[in-house]
Amino acid sequence: MTDRTHNRAHEARDRAEKQGASEGGAAGPNGRIDWHSPQMLARLRRRHAANRRMKFIGLAAIVLAAGLLSILVGSLLKSGLPAFRQTFITLEFDLKPELVKPQNMRRGNWRKIVKEGLLRALPEDMRKNRKLRRKVLKIVSRSAPYALRDHVMENPHLVGRIIPFDVLASDPYDQFNKGLIPEYIVRGERKRPNPKLGGPEVVRAFRVLKEQKRVHLPFNWGLFFNADSRLPEAAGLAGAIVGSFLTLLVTFLISFPTGILAAIYLEEFAPKNRFTDFVEININNLAAVPSVVFGLLGLSLFIGFFGVPRSTPLVGGMVLSLMTLPTIIIATRAALKAVPPSLREAALGVGASHHQMVFHHVLPVAMPGILTGAIIGMAQALGETAPLLLVGMNAFIPDISNMGLTEPATALPTQIYSWADSPERGFVSRTAAAILVLLGFLLAMNALAIWLRQRYSTKW
Amino acid sequence: MILLATLLVLAVAAVGWWLARKRAREIELRSSGHHDRLHSRPVYHGLYVAIWTGVPALLLLLLWVAIQGPLLDALLLASLPQDVVQGLDENARAVLLNEIKTRAAGNPLPGEPAPYVAEAVRRLLRWRAIANMAALALSLAVALAGMAFAWRRLSPTFRARRAVERAFTWLMLVCASIAILTTVGIVLSLIFETMRFFTMVPLTEFVFGLRWEPQIAIRPDQVASSGAFGMIPVFAGTLLISAIALGFAVPVGLLSAIYLVEYASSRFRAFAKPLLEFLAGIPTVVYGFFAILTVAPAIKHFGDALGIPTAPNSALAAGLVMGIMLIPFISSLSDDALAAVPNALREGSIGLGATRAETIRYVLLPAALPGIMAGVLLAASRAIGETMIVVMAAGIIATLTLNPFEAVTTVTVQIVTLLIGDTEFDNPKTLAAFALGFVLFLITLALNMLSMHIVRKYREQYD
Amino acid sequence: MTENRDITIETAEAAQERAAATPAGEDKSRPTSPVCGHKCKFITRNVNVFYGEKQAIFDVSLDIPDRSVMALIGPSGCGKSTYLRCLNRMNDLIDICRVEGTFLLDGEDIYSGDIDPVLLRARVGMVFQKPNPFPKSIYENVAYGPRIHGLARDKTELDEIVETSLRKAALWDEVKDRLDAPGTGLSGGQQQRLCIARAIATRPEVILMDEPASALDPIATARIEELIDELKENYCIVIVTHSMQQAARVSDRTAFFHLGRLIEEGPTEQIFTAPREKQTQDYITGRYG
């Protein structure tokens, strides 16, 4: 730069500086900007404050979501964990033949046997209390006589003896034993005994049994192995778990091969024409159709027209497989896309036909990704409730011995729905526990899918 | 019986495969070294024969299974004494058929059957036996015929591999078409039932009616509260709850996406994203239970404390929980939309001295807006079609109101309520559910297509 | 190799005081360098830049005089862009990037806690390799910077700023009738000039250009080079280029980088006709790069 231009530039700059210093904030279009003027600094402070605010509310949103999630999980745990233990009472029962009726045990007076067993454990003075005698059976489940009966029917040699046996406590006493319901209900000034417990005499009797160490609180295996029941203390998820398993089996058998073949066709063989585009549009749309609509389809087409029996895992599986199909197709296509062209070219190079290249070389390599997608699809299907409700898959299954693909069944999510509808306190706890079981399954399946993805994802 | 037939067909097909493969091997051995060499490997010959043996027969069996039920029903009905059948409407006929079938299955029913019923039961059992035998025989015949036909094609120059591969391609095509078939099935079944509904309830009442009380007189002498089937209050309920849900989920989801994309360190992202994924994977029945267990009581408590009359199943409770369910959905779609904005724009803005917030507000959000809007539309579609949360936490009575503290019902609740229990495809109650379902399908379809259209239209801007 | 230079570095406040006290003209209190005396815009010493564990720039010391064009040349991947981005702290955006060394802009350390990067980037503008106009109108693109920094008190002033910037970028005549048209609708060369106008609008003192013409055709490139020639009368320009011819045409001084080190630096004519280092010579004559 020559000296002349240099000086001119400097003069211009000085002029502008003087100008700028006298005005506030920015200078005019020709002057130098005073970046350190009070107005500018104030503005900067405001801008940075606005930035900090945006960062803060963004973080707050995430914290809110996390907080809601923990409230959700927390309330489920608080409500459901107690249901993983169940109160039992050990008593001795005198199997007098005249009560048992050995020729036709179904006609035996098992209630009396149980009642006498209870009373036998109590001290003499309590035994004589008329009020207590009338109400003492409130301590044990209404299913207790039947449980005892079934036990003796399997072991008939026990008739005439006095045997020890664990009976289920009734739902109120199960809750009471876990400390979940109070002995007295306080309303303002008045305190009255909790009617669910049957009266203070009964509570006292229960306390005596506890002191005698007859009351146990073991892990509630019944939750997993009992079938459904109207009595919350005896209700379990066995029917629901088997039903879900059968349904998912049908879903898998239908949607896995179909989905893979469809994806392979679209990805490897389909010509680029209107039909293929149409198929792809359809798949994307189906993925977004509400699940209720699939239930309607199942009801009118599968049950109404084809006559597939209602409430069965077969029809439930058919409906769910239609919902899982888009997931599997999309995951399979992604897995196929990820296989590098060099592999394909190598296969073709040794003379394999297009089919052979795809099925013998590409497919095995893409399989881990496909399986991951399938597992995730199954996990989604496991949680679906609405379509199963519409095809009737929430039958009451008190006995799981003859469950099959074409027998009425229930499933885990629909069982949760049914139990959630029941007013008894014991069912609230069990519903939460059932949800925890469901979430446990889902977590395991997702973990498996992730592990599969990590283990087998090769870096090309 | 059908199972037996299927197994037999498969067995025959397997035999065919094995035999054909053996034969192909023989041909190969005999002609090794000569120009008589086989075109395809023996296994393909085997497969070819097996396909021709098994597939036609299995298709026949499939068709048989589908048709046998309705066909036998029709024949049975025709065989009953006319005077009995004339007086019965469709419902009663279905009940009669059910009785016959139940007794035929050997399940006890109370009371003794009428003589014509007992006769019909015997007839049905006879027919079924005949039909099963016929199915077995026919399928085996078709299988053997197929095998014979395919066997004749075997020769050294036979392009077995090509034929098998062609068959396979067709199989894959069919599988791919199932997507279309499903959509067609949905549309047809919904339209069919909806049409039947509109023969019983006028279209104008459905579309414009303001009362939804689906009561139907069960017996002719019941004082009929003629059912009202106006869908407006039901859809209003859906809109109210969806609006509450979106009003909660969109700000929270969008803001969390902004933070994750623009402000968070990669460590934080690695920790927060799985958290949101977990929220997204929770089944909706769990959210429904959460609503009745915790949220609805809390809101009632809150409302009562403020002196507002609050229903125990208020729209606010259902809407809030639905919003929680939608947060990860909107967050991840907005995340994608923001991350898709080219980094060059970010650098251009920061390079001019803008703060992150200014860059987000003036450059990134406008650029990502199409993607975000598409995400919101998809979320709206989700909200409208959501079932379990509202079935468990919202009401059943259709109320036309804007008050979130009242209980409303939604389209999906009505669909489920009307169809749970024994359904007869005859009365307007059941069919109303299909009509609602059809409208629901159309609305969610429209929202989805609009969403895809927006994404496609604006994506070109950056490429 | 760069020679050892003797400098005195003062704090920003002291420099400001002295600036207020001394008459306009050369500020004799500023740190001085043998290269540009007191007229240096940027004085950088002992610059080391790391991406995580990997070091990208090794002990670079470079002085950049005001109202001139400094070209940074070298084979691809040698660190020129990285160095350039240090000058306006754009490397702050990258989590794993660590910058060490001293960067003095008019005597102030830009990496010190006193300097707000937001202000720095208004004073040190940047033009990128691929034109990146915002998806807004031409007017809004140019007005963006002045708006956020609050440089105009009303619409009229803003209009003036936009017009001046577009004129300085030699784009005004072509777009004055369609200021509302989207900036992305312009041709490549026009877009780049729009980006230059955008950068000028915040009244920077320095303009950094990262291969500004590499995505453009020869005619557009020529126009950009003309523009640079005009701009250097009022701005300090640092340009990264992989084209030696461009460096030779456009710049007053040139710095040759190789594998993260500054090999040689000097007046452009000297670098291209009589380089001191063999590596420089090899690069100039096309032996590699």
Side-chain angles (χ1 to χ4, degrees):
Chain A
M1 209 181 326
T2 64
D3 268 346
R4 208 183 54 206
T5 44
H6 183 123
N7 285 331
R8 254 222 318 270
H10 272 283
E11 276 157 23
R13 190 181 62 189
D14 301 338
R15 254 200 321 263
E17 252 177 23
K18 294 207 187 83
Q19 215 181 0
S22 59
E23 292 168 346
N30 296 316
R32 244 309 177 36
I33 296 179
D34 183 4
W35 294 102
H36 298 291
S37 75
Q39 288 86 343
M40 190 58 88
L41 289 178
R43 192 188 168 92
L44 257 186
R45 267 198 305 275
R46 276 199 305 272
R47 291 168 62 195
H48 282 300
N51 190 37
R52 274 193 302 273
R53 264 199 306 272
M54 182 173 285
K55 187 169 175 178
F56 178 71
I57 42 179
L59 186 60
I62 296 189
V63 167
L64 178 65
L68 290 170
L69 175 65
S70 25
I71 294 181
L72 175 83
V73 173
S75 50
L76 284 176
L77 284 175
K78 175 158 177 271
S79 184
L81 280 184
F84 280 97
R85 285 147 79 84
Q86 185 65 39
T87 308
F88 282 88
I89 306 175
T90 312
L91 295 166
E92 290 84 38
F93 299 101
D94 189 355
L95 299 175
K96 300 190 191 133
E98 59 269 24
L99 290 176
V100 169
K101 299 218 182 3
Q103 306 79 14
N104 187 1
M105 289 202 208
R106 283 192 182 272
R107 293 271 174 110
N109 192 349
W110 298 96
R111 272 196 90 204
K112 189 138 188 239
I113 297 180
V114 171
K115 186 165 173 180
E116 293 196 346
L118 269 169
L119 290 171
R120 166 177 299 116
L122 297 170
E124 175 108 20
D125 54 319
M126 289 185 117
R127 245 182 275 161
K128 299 247 173 68
N129 183 331
R130 292 261 284 277
K131 248 183 159 183
L132 179 61
R133 291 180 76 89
R134 263 184 300 138
K135 300 232 203 120
V136 74
L137 275 176
K138 272 197 184 286
I139 294 182
V140 295
S141 165
R142 286 215 298 271
S143 67
Y146 301 103
L148 184 61
R149 175 198 72 187
D150 291 341
H151 177 72
V152 174
M153 279 173 74
E154 280 169 31
N155 302 288
H157 60 274
L158 293 173
V159 177
R161 302 215 242 153
I162 299 183
I163 59 162
F165 190 64
D166 287 344
V167 289
L168 265 180
S170 66
D171 183 43
Y173 274 93
D174 176 49
Q175 306 278 319
F176 180 63
N177 189 31
K178 293 172 182 165
L180 295 173
I181 64 174
E183 189 178 344
Y184 293 98
I185 299 189
V186 182
R187 204 158 293 189
E189 295 292 321
R190 298 163 20 152
K191 182 167 102 158
R192 59 190 184 96
N194 192 340
K196 288 203 191 138
L197 295 173
E201 314 79 26
V202 191
V203 179
R204 227 177 302 136
F206 183 71
R207 286 228 168 82
V208 168
L209 291 175
K210 264 190 106 156
E211 277 163 34
Q212 296 175 5
K213 303 245 190 290
R214 289 178 177 277
V215 178
H216 315 288
L217 197 56
F219 184 78
N220 184 7
W221 292 105
L223 184 66
F224 294 94
F225 292 107
N226 289 356
D228 201 4
S229 162
R230 300 254 182 258
L231 303 167
E233 65 269 16
L237 291 170
I241 293 180
V242 172
S244 269
F245 173 73
L246 290 173
T247 310
L248 283 186
L249 188 66
V250 174
T251 308
F252 183 77
L253 287 177
I254 297 181
S255 62
F256 189 67
T258 313
I260 293 186
L261 288 177
I264 293 180
Y265 178 75
L266 289 172
E267 192 66 25
E268 308 279 344
F269 293 97
K272 271 248 165 268
N273 57 17
R274 299 269 294 269
F275 177 74
T276 312
D277 284 342
F278 191 51
V279 171
E280 290 181 355
I281 293 179
N282 260 292
I283 292 178
N284 285 326
N285 275 331
L286 276 182
V289 168
S291 55
V292 184
V293 174
F294 284 99
L296 288 175
L297 174 69
L299 195 55
S300 76
L301 194 66
F302 295 148
I303 297 181
F305 189 71
F306 285 128
V308 185
R310 206 163 173 273
S311 295
T312 56
L314 183 60
V315 71
M318 286 166 80
V319 172
L320 287 183
S321 65
L322 289 181
M323 295 176 64
T324 318
L325 213 52
T327 310
I328 295 193
I329 292 181
I330 293 174
T332 307
R333 288 189 76 170
L336 289 172
K337 274 205 239 279
V339 176
S342 53
L343 188 80
R344 300 165 192 269
E345 283 158 20
L348 290 174
V350 298
S353 72
H354 197 188
H355 269 81
Q356 286 167 329
M357 181 259 291
V358 169
F359 286 97
H360 296 170
H361 295 94
V362 175
L363 191 59
V365 164
M367 205 32 107
I370 297 176
L371 279 177
T372 306
I375 294 178
I376 293 184
M378 290 299 124
Q380 282 173 355
L382 178 58
E384 281 297 338
T385 322
L388 294 183
L389 280 182
L390 288 188
V391 295
M393 268 202 80
N394 64 337
F396 180 71
I397 306 289
D399 178 9
I400 61 165
S401 52
N402 57 344
M403 288 187 77
L405 284 183
T406 48
E407 298 295 325
T410 182
L412 205 43
T414 50
Q415 181 76 287
I416 291 174
Y417 169 73
S418 300
W419 281 0
D421 245 3
S422 315
E424 291 99 326
R425 192 91 196 285
F427 271 124
V428 170
S429 192
R430 265 171 169 69
T431 312
I435 288 180
L436 290 174
V437 171
L438 175 64
L439 288 179
F441 277 124
L442 289 178
L443 217 66
M445 289 171 87
N446 277 300
L448 178 65
I450 293 179
W451 174 82
L452 204 65
R453 195 183 349 204
Q454 307 284 51
R455 181 97 156 32
Y456 287 100
S457 76
T458 344
K459 300 284 184 224
W460 295 106
Chain B
M1 191 41 92
I2 301 292
L3 195 62
L4 179 65
T6 313
L7 288 175
L8 270 175
V9 166
L10 286 175
V12 173
V15 165
W17 174 77
W18 187 75
L19 282 176
R21 201 175 67 141
K22 196 159 93 104
R23 167 109 163 126
R25 281 227 188 99
E26 285 166 17
I27 299 182
E28 189 179 38
L29 280 170
R30 248 184 298 146
S31 64
S32 59
H34 292 255
H35 34 255
D36 250 24
R37 278 273 299 278
L38 279 183
H39 175 267
S40 319
R41 310 277 319 121
V43 66
Y44 286 105
H45 293 257
L47 276 176
Y48 181 76
V49 168
I51 291 179
W52 269 108
T53 313
V55 171
L58 284 176
L59 281 179
L60 177 72
L61 281 175
L62 202 65
L63 210 64
W64 198 281
V65 165
I67 295 192
Q68 177 173 318
L71 186 66
L72 282 183
D73 281 352
L75 285 175
L76 202 60
L77 213 53
S79 75
L80 291 174
Q82 275 309 300
D83 50 322
V84 174
V85 172
Q86 289 288 24
L88 299 175
D89 63 357
E90 248 193 82
N91 244 354
R93 273 185 227 173
V95 170
L96 183 59
L97 277 179
N98 212 26
E99 183 191 348
I100 298 178
K101 283 193 263 196
T102 314
R103 290 189 189 278
N107 294 334
L109 278 179
E112 287 301 310
Y116 64 87
V117 168
E119 172 63 37
V121 167
R122 281 194 293 274
R123 218 176 305 136
L124 180 63
L125 287 172
R126 251 197 336 261
W127 283 349
R128 277 211 189 133
I130 297 178
N132 285 338
M133 279 297 143
L136 184 64
L138 204 57
S139 58
L140 273 177
V142 166
L144 288 169
M147 177 147 78
F149 169 74
W151 190 270
R152 288 184 29 182
R153 303 279 296 273
L154 290 186
S155 81
T157 55
F158 177 50
R159 304 171 116 79
R161 184 180 52 89
R162 288 274 174 81
V164 168
E165 289 185 350
R166 236 196 341 254
F168 224 70
T169 309
W170 271 101
L171 175 64
M172 291 194 290
L173 184 72
V174 165
C175 287
S177 318
I178 291 197
I180 300 186
L181 287 178
T182 310
T183 311
V184 166
I186 291 179
V187 170
L188 281 183
S189 59
L190 286 180
I191 287 187
F192 185 62
E193 306 292 352
T194 307
M195 287 292 138
R196 283 174 60 186
F197 175 70
F198 284 132
T199 62
M200 300 182 198
V201 172
L203 179 66
T204 44
E205 177 185 337
F206 184 66
V207 175
F208 298 113
L210 291 177
R211 273 175 48 228
W212 178 267
E213 287 152 27
Q215 314 293 343
I216 287 295
I218 307 235
R219 298 187 307 274
D221 56 314
Q222 242 184 358
V223 172
S225 61
S226 65
F229 289 99
M231 73 170 192
I232 291 192
V234 188
F235 270 95
T238 297
L239 285 178
L240 177 64
I241 293 189
S242 303
I244 296 175
L246 284 175
F248 179 62
V250 171
V252 177
L254 184 57
L255 286 169
S256 59
I258 288 178
Y259 184 85
L260 282 177
V261 176
E262 301 296 327
Y263 289 106
S265 67
S266 41
R267 240 188 16 197
F268 188 87
R269 257 178 86 93
F271 159 75
K273 292 214 92 180
L275 193 91
L276 287 173
E277 298 274 322
F278 186 63
L279 260 185
I282 296 181
T284 50
V285 68
V286 176
Y287 278 113
F289 183 67
F290 177 55
I292 43 183
L293 181 70
T294 311
V295 180
I299 291 197
K300 177 134 176 59
H301 202 73
F302 171 69
D304 289 342
L306 285 184
I308 310 175
T310 313
N313 51 355
S314 55
L316 189 58
L320 270 184
V321 174
M322 196 187 284
I324 300 179
M325 176 197 76
L326 289 175
I327 290 177
F329 193 68
I330 295 193
S331 179
S332 97
L333 288 177
S334 305
D335 193 306
D336 290 342
L338 282 170
V341 176
N343 217 26
L345 288 180
R346 263 183 210 91
E347 294 209 316
S349 174
I350 302 272
L352 288 169
T355 59
R356 275 236 184 252
E358 286 158 353
T359 306
I360 293 170
R361 220 174 119 191
Y362 298 117
V363 176
L364 296 182
L365 277 182
L369 200 61
I372 294 178
M373 266 186 14
V376 171
L377 284 177
L378 279 178
S381 170
R382 251 333 223 347
I384 289 179
E386 168 49 41
T387 313
M388 289 321 293
I389 298 182
V390 278
V391 161
M392 294 168 85
I396 299 194
I397 313 289
T399 325
L400 196 55
T401 175
L402 279 178
N403 180 2
F405 289 95
E406 285 182 49
V408 297
T409 193
T410 72
V411 174
T412 46
V413 172
Q414 288 304 305
I415 294 179
V416 170
T417 317
L418 291 173
L419 290 177
I420 279 200
D422 281 323
T423 48
E424 295 123 8
F425 281 83
D426 240 48
N427 59 56
K429 260 176 81 167
T430 315
L431 296 177
F434 281 92
L436 285 177
F438 186 52
V439 180
L440 182 72
F441 176 69
L442 289 178
I443 293 183
T444 50
L445 193 69
L447 283 173
N448 292 331
M449 301 202 71
L450 184 61
S451 164
M452 287 206 293
H453 171 76
I454 291 182
V455 167
R456 230 182 328 216
K457 178 162 173 219
Y458 288 93
R459 186 178 301 172
E460 287 137 19
Q461 267 191 1
Y462 298 119
D463 293 341
Chain C
M1 270 309 160
T2 51
E3 301 145 3
N4 236 345
R5 296 169 202 231
D6 227 337
I7 52 165
T8 28
I9 303 187
E10 306 173 77
T11 61
E13 292 92 348
Q16 263 184 331
E17 280 179 65
R18 211 102 48 132
T22 52
E26 288 188 6
D27 184 353
K28 298 223 168 7
S29 65
R30 277 213 238 160
T32 176
S33 96
V35 166
C36 38
H38 297 288
K39 292 179 293 176
C40 280
K41 198 64 182 166
F42 263 110
I43 297 181
T44 66
R45 293 280 183 276
N46 309 111
V47 175
N48 287 286
V49 178
F50 301 84
Y51 285 108
E53 293 303 316
K54 192 165 161 282
Q55 185 160 2
I57 307 246
F58 297 79
D59 200 34
V60 167
S61 298
L62 184 62
D63 300 333
I64 305 173
D66 202 356
R67 319 239 175 195
S68 68
V69 179
M70 161 81 78
L72 308 180
I73 61 172
S76 55
C78 64
K80 353 185 254 293
S81 289
T82 309
Y83 177 80
L84 190 78
R85 290 166 62 103
C86 290
L87 297 178
N88 66 349
R89 293 184 63 168
M90 282 298 273
N91 283 332
D92 287 3
L93 297 181
I94 303 175
D95 264 346
I96 52 171
C97 186
R98 200 172 77 240
V99 174
E100 291 172 0
T102 319
F103 292 79
L104 301 180
L105 172 63
D106 286 343
E108 295 175 79
D109 184 356
I110 63 176
Y111 279 89
S112 80
D114 298 330
I115 298 275
D116 188 343
V118 163
L119 281 190
L120 174 69
R121 293 179 189 129
R123 291 170 63 192
V124 181
M126 190 169 222
V127 175
F128 299 84
Q129 185 170 348
K130 196 159 169 290
N132 57 353
F134 301 133
K136 298 174 186 288
S137 69
I138 295 174
Y139 183 92
E140 287 301 327
N141 261 283
V142 183
Y144 183 72
R147 259 200 230 277
I148 51 180
H149 290 290
L151 302 181
R153 282 170 305 171
D154 53 35
K155 184 79 166 39
T156 332
E157 273 189 33
L158 192 58
D159 289 345
E160 278 183 63
I161 295 179
V162 170
E163 180 175 337
T164 315
S165 310
L166 284 170
R167 279 190 194 281
K168 285 198 195 155
L171 192 58
W172 174 252
D173 290 323
E174 289 166 56
V175 301
K176 64 182 182 224
D177 301 322
R178 46 184 178 129
L179 291 177
D180 287 330
T184 43
L186 300 171
S187 75
Q190 288 173 320
Q191 282 187 14
Q192 194 64 302
R193 276 179 281 146
L194 176 63
C195 292
I196 294 177
R198 188 174 69 182
I200 291 178
T202 61
R203 217 76 57 66
E205 300 148 31
V206 181
I207 303 180
L208 306 176
M209 301 195 178
D210 193 346
E211 303 201 32
S214 65
L216 305 177
D217 62 74
I219 298 185
T221 304
R223 295 204 64 177
I224 300 279
E225 291 180 6
E226 272 172 40
L227 189 52
I228 295 178
D229 221 33
E230 290 167 24
L231 290 173
K232 75 177 180 191
E233 297 191 14
N234 293 307
Y235 302 92
C236 167
I237 299 187
V238 185
I239 172 171
V240 164
T241 176
H242 65 262
S243 156
M244 288 177 295
Q245 295 81 356
Q246 183 172 83
R249 285 193 293 270
V250 145
S251 65
D252 301 309
R253 295 186 74 86
T254 302
F256 172 57
F257 281 75
H258 183 50
L259 292 181
R261 284 169 224 276
L262 177 63
I263 307 295
E264 188 172 345
E265 185 265 335
T268 302
E269 215 178 299
Q270 177 245 310
I271 295 282
F272 279 95
T273 53
R276 285 192 301 271
E277 303 289 330
K278 179 169 186 310
Q279 269 179 304
T280 321
Q281 175 140 17
D282 287 341
Y283 181 68
I284 305 283
T285 55
R287 282 272 175 79
Y288 64 89

